[in-house]
Amino acid sequence: MALLAGAIPVAIASSSSTSLAPVSCSAQAVQQNVSFRKNASATAAEEQILSSQGPGKKSRYRRKRKSQERQPGELDPPVGIAAVDEDSVTEICKFLESRLPEGILVGSLATFQGLYFSHIAVCKILQRTKDPDAALAFFQWLTREACYKPNTVAYNCLLNALVKAGKIHQVREMLDRKTLGEFVHSEFTYGTLVHGHCLAGEFDEAKRLVAEFKDTGMSPGSLVVLHNLMLKGFSEARLVDEAKSHLHRMDCKPNSVSYNTLIDALCSSGRIQEAREELQAMAKRGVAPNRVTYNAMATGLGKAGLLDEAFELMGVMESAGFALTAVTFNPVVEFLCKSGKPDEACKVMETMLLRNIEPNILTLNLILHAFCKAARPEEALGMTDIMVEMGFCPTIVTFNALLELFCNTDQMDSAAELLETMARSKCKPNFVTYSIMVQKFAEMGRMVEARAFLEQLVVCGYAPNLLVCNAYVAGLCKTGEMDLASRFLTVMAEEGCRANTATYNSLVEGFCKLGRMDEAERVLEEMIAEGSLPDSTTYSVLIQGLCSAGQIVHAFMVMLQVTRAVESARPDPATFVKLIEKLCELGEMDRAALVLERMGDEHEEFRVCQVLISNSQH
């Protein structure tokens, strides 16, 4: 940590009152602390409101907002013509998000043709419209039918909407052909294009645009912004080495955003030492670390399990004048929770509360989820009480963690009650919710309920993934509904969810349990034809199924074939034992000896089978 401390040109206060080491706590202690803080915070908040409200403060704020609602050079609407207001903006956005055919959409927009569209209203609509094609259609309608003359800001809002949707090449084509008309490229235009090419992985073109921008002589201070977009692009593409190289070769002085982007990328990749070095280099170049810098480092240290160093960095952060928040502590909490130490995570939260640092919903959900994973329902439910006491509403993450806990501990009545609580709290179930229920009911063989939740999952617009489909197929096979299971495989293929080895193994096992060995072998053939390689489970189930069906010689032939050809698919020792037992019962001692030879003497069962064969020969 000496390296970090040396990088910060601020003295570190050494006071026992600022210790960040976690203190011991209990759930009761946390709840008492929460209750005290809740009352104290209410009083403090009231005092702050009373002290900050001065005569006319609200009116000054409103005047400021009103002045911001007009862009430079924008005129008042003509006399007698109403301007597009917030309600009209919302209504237009609804039309644009309705996925109507362009002809019908344009007809719907004609309703607004007589209104005055300010630049700010147009920008709001373009920014809120998620469908880029609809945004473009609206912009073209505006300029063609509503006599709207866009300014540079409006043009850039449109370009940004298209770029965010991955349509950088369409944007470049429109600019080259001037299909949107003439407009002056601004710093924002260049930034949008650089960002678009980075999203497309076209970093050479992005670099070319940065060089072109520099040659224009346009706002030299904006050059670092374009470089920062490059750094962000490299980082998001996980090209950390390229990001590091780019920062070191920048033709302008990096700023805090530049270093923060690289430090965050290095920490996210687990390259903590390099992040430390960049923090030191940052200070040497006279770029002051800020809250984002410290939080990025704290996140990296916390996730790497370097907790002592993370706490020491928090002390440096406070000494530099930055208040600690839940964002700073959460990586430490997350590491402890993922390490199976929810009690230690709880101690960290107690430390936060004692230092008047409010945990956020992520802090609470991390600890709750850790208690759920540890199958400690009492503590998990206690965390929900703390959550409510602190004024947080349980989220879908909260409910899903508890739901999984109840299902894993076979508390299905509690799971049903929790689903009802979700409905009452208007917390909409998501894919994880439904998949938990499908998997659990299928595992229990309660296929009526599993099917109901699977149907609900589809009705809500989710596509079942392979994990859910495999659980459902396994459930059908477990209950002997083999025809339904086979048909479901066809449905999976039609929906683009390709069956894997686990899917086929369930079918093989299901047919073997019913003694339908021809169909079990047909599934094996189909499995190989579809490119799913049989594994040890496949052949173990098949050979044991053949033995149970009395097809001992056929089982012997399958065993010879698989042990000769596919080492990775070698059946488990129990299958060898069962086949040797059956061969001995038939007096097929030579074949039993050959199977024993293929088994290998590294297994404990080898000695048992030797005795079995020896006894059968006498």
Side-chain angles (χ1 to χ4, degrees):
M1 191 60 202
L3 178 63
L4 280 172
I8 311 301
V10 181
I12 303 176
S14 56
S15 170
S16 59
S17 64
T18 60
S19 172
L20 289 158
V23 297
S24 61
C25 73
S26 63
Q28 184 179 8
V30 172
Q31 286 180 315
Q32 288 174 348
N33 205 325
V34 168
S35 298
F36 171 78
R37 282 176 50 74
K38 185 177 180 183
N39 295 331
S41 297
T43 305
E46 290 169 4
E47 291 178 358
Q48 185 178 4
I49 292 170
L50 290 171
S51 63
S52 64
Q53 289 287 357
K57 183 157 188 175
K58 183 181 286 189
S59 63
R60 286 201 302 272
Y61 172 73
R62 283 179 173 171
R63 283 199 299 272
K64 184 179 178 182
R65 284 292 303 273
K66 187 173 181 180
S67 67
Q68 291 173 344
E69 289 292 307
R70 177 179 297 179
Q71 292 182 2
E74 186 155 35
L75 302 175
D76 290 325
V79 177
I81 298 180
V84 171
D85 57 12
E86 187 63 32
D87 290 339
S88 298
V89 167
T90 302
E91 194 172 350
I92 291 170
C93 289
K94 286 181 180 178
F95 277 126
L96 297 179
E97 290 298 317
S98 61
R99 306 284 180 179
L100 294 171
E102 186 172 346
I104 299 175
L105 177 62
V106 170
S108 301
L109 290 173
T111 310
F112 305 95
Q113 193 165 339
L115 298 178
Y116 172 78
F117 282 87
S118 66
H119 296 315
I120 193 70
V122 171
C123 289
K124 282 182 179 181
I125 293 167
L126 293 172
Q127 289 167 352
R128 295 179 190 177
T129 302
K130 296 177 182 178
D131 182 352
D133 294 326
L136 178 58
F138 166 72
F139 193 86
Q140 291 172 331
W141 171 83
L142 265 182
T143 55
R144 185 177 62 247
E145 304 293 339
C147 301
Y148 173 71
K149 294 182 178 180
N151 65 357
T152 302
V153 177
Y155 273 120
N156 284 329
C157 282
L158 174 65
L159 299 184
N160 191 48
L162 295 171
V163 161
K164 285 196 297 186
K167 294 180 176 289
I168 181 62
H169 297 124
Q170 181 180 351
V171 167
R172 295 304 299 269
E173 184 179 351
M174 289 191 300
L175 292 176
D176 291 342
R177 295 186 177 183
K178 300 182 180 180
T179 54
L180 295 176
E182 294 280 357
F183 79 97
V184 177
H185 285 33
S186 67
E187 295 93 333
F188 190 86
T189 313
Y190 276 97
T192 299
L193 297 177
V194 167
H195 178 55
H197 284 294
C198 286
L199 285 176
E202 298 168 350
F203 295 103
D204 288 341
E205 179 60 19
K207 288 178 182 177
R208 191 195 64 76
L209 283 168
V210 173
E212 179 183 306
F213 174 81
K214 184 180 180 182
D215 292 340
T216 64
M218 189 189 303
S219 182
S222 297
L223 183 59
V224 69
V225 176
L226 299 186
H227 280 296
N228 288 344
L229 287 169
M230 290 286 301
L231 289 168
K232 181 182 177 184
F234 283 127
S235 299
E236 289 179 346
R238 298 185 180 180
L239 300 171
V240 183
D241 289 331
E242 287 81 352
K244 187 176 179 180
S245 175
H246 187 82
L247 185 141
H248 293 163
R249 295 177 181 176
M250 282 171 58
D251 51 4
C252 62
K253 182 180 177 180
N255 60 13
S256 60
V257 176
S258 315
Y259 280 104
N260 291 346
T261 303
L262 179 57
I263 288 171
D264 182 60
L266 289 166
C267 288
S268 298
S269 303
R271 296 161 65 169
I272 303 300
Q273 180 55 34
E274 291 174 77
R276 293 189 189 104
E277 292 167 1
E278 292 301 331
L279 182 59
Q280 191 175 41
M282 183 178 187
K284 286 180 178 178
R285 295 196 67 173
V287 181
N290 57 21
R291 185 193 304 276
V292 178
T293 320
Y294 290 117
N295 280 337
M297 279 300 305
T299 298
L301 294 168
K303 289 186 175 181
L306 302 171
L307 304 191
D308 291 340
E309 192 173 345
F311 284 124
E312 192 173 346
L313 178 69
M314 291 179 198
V316 175
M317 183 175 177
E318 279 196 311
S319 298
F322 297 105
L324 305 182
T325 66
V327 174
T328 320
F329 279 91
N330 281 346
V332 174
V333 172
E334 183 179 4
F335 175 82
L336 291 170
C337 289
K338 287 185 176 179
S339 301
K341 299 177 180 178
D343 295 307
E344 294 297 314
C346 203
K347 291 177 185 178
V348 173
M349 187 172 77
E350 174 67 2
T351 300
M352 294 170 64
L353 290 168
L354 290 173
R355 294 173 57 81
N356 292 323
I357 299 168
E358 191 80 35
N360 60 17
I361 190 66
L362 176 59
T363 319
L364 299 168
N365 274 335
L366 284 168
I367 298 174
L368 180 142
H369 192 265
F371 279 128
C372 289
K373 285 290 184 184
R376 294 168 61 179
E378 186 175 342
E379 290 89 341
L381 292 170
M383 287 304 300
T384 62
D385 294 337
I386 293 172
M387 191 179 292
V388 173
E389 182 73 17
M390 293 184 69
F392 292 108
C393 292
T395 66
I396 188 62
V397 175
T398 316
F399 284 115
N400 284 343
L402 291 170
L403 193 64
E404 190 171 22
L405 169 66
F406 292 143
C407 288
N408 288 342
T409 53
D410 295 325
Q411 300 181 61
M412 299 311 294
D413 291 339
S414 297
E417 290 175 10
L418 186 66
L419 289 171
E420 292 175 4
T421 302
M422 288 178 66
R424 287 195 300 270
S425 65
K426 297 182 181 179
C427 184
K428 188 178 178 182
N430 65 3
F431 174 83
V432 175
T433 316
Y434 293 120
S435 63
I436 289 170
M437 299 307 294
V438 172
Q439 291 176 72
K440 183 58 183 179
F441 279 122
E443 178 191 321
M444 298 172 69
R446 293 168 58 174
M447 296 312 296
V448 173
E449 292 98 325
R451 188 174 297 115
F453 278 105
L454 181 61
E455 289 173 355
Q456 192 63 36
L457 183 150
V458 174
V459 166
C460 290
Y462 300 112
N465 63 11
L466 188 57
L467 189 66
V468 173
C469 290
N470 279 350
Y472 188 70
V473 170
L476 291 171
C477 294
K478 185 175 183 177
T479 54
E481 301 177 74
M482 299 309 300
D483 293 337
L484 280 176
S486 297
R487 288 203 295 272
F488 190 75
L489 231 66
T490 305
V491 174
M492 285 175 61
E494 290 173 351
E495 295 297 323
C497 185
R498 185 175 177 178
N500 66 357
T501 300
T503 325
Y504 288 111
N505 283 350
S506 294
L507 288 167
V508 171
E509 185 174 9
F511 282 124
C512 286
K513 283 182 178 179
L514 296 176
R516 296 162 62 175
M517 301 312 301
D518 289 344
E519 289 166 281
E521 293 193 82
R522 176 188 57 77
V523 171
L524 177 61
E525 292 172 0
E526 179 184 335
M527 177 181 186
I528 295 170
E530 290 295 327
S532 293
L533 295 177
D535 60 8
S536 176
T537 301
T538 317
Y539 285 111
S540 296
V541 168
L542 180 62
I543 291 170
Q544 291 196 44
L546 289 168
C547 288
S548 298
Q551 301 181 36
I552 312 303
V553 175
H554 186 27
F556 168 75
M557 299 303 295
V558 172
M559 177 67 84
L560 288 188
Q561 181 182 2
V562 69
T563 53
R564 185 186 303 119
V566 190
E567 185 63 31
S568 61
R570 171 180 288 273
D572 58 35
T575 305
F576 280 93
V577 172
K578 184 167 185 175
L579 180 56
I580 289 171
E581 284 178 346
K582 292 295 183 181
L583 289 168
C584 288
E585 288 174 8
L586 293 177
E588 295 280 356
M589 308 313 299
D590 290 341
R591 285 176 170 170
L594 183 54
V595 173
L596 180 63
E597 180 185 328
R598 292 294 176 88
M599 180 181 185
D601 59 6
E602 68 272 13
H603 300 288
E604 293 180 6
E605 292 84 354
F606 182 83
R607 307 302 173 197
V608 176
C609 291
Q610 274 186 322
V611 173
L612 181 63
I613 292 172
S614 178
N615 291 340
S616 298
Q617 287 174 336
H618 296 89

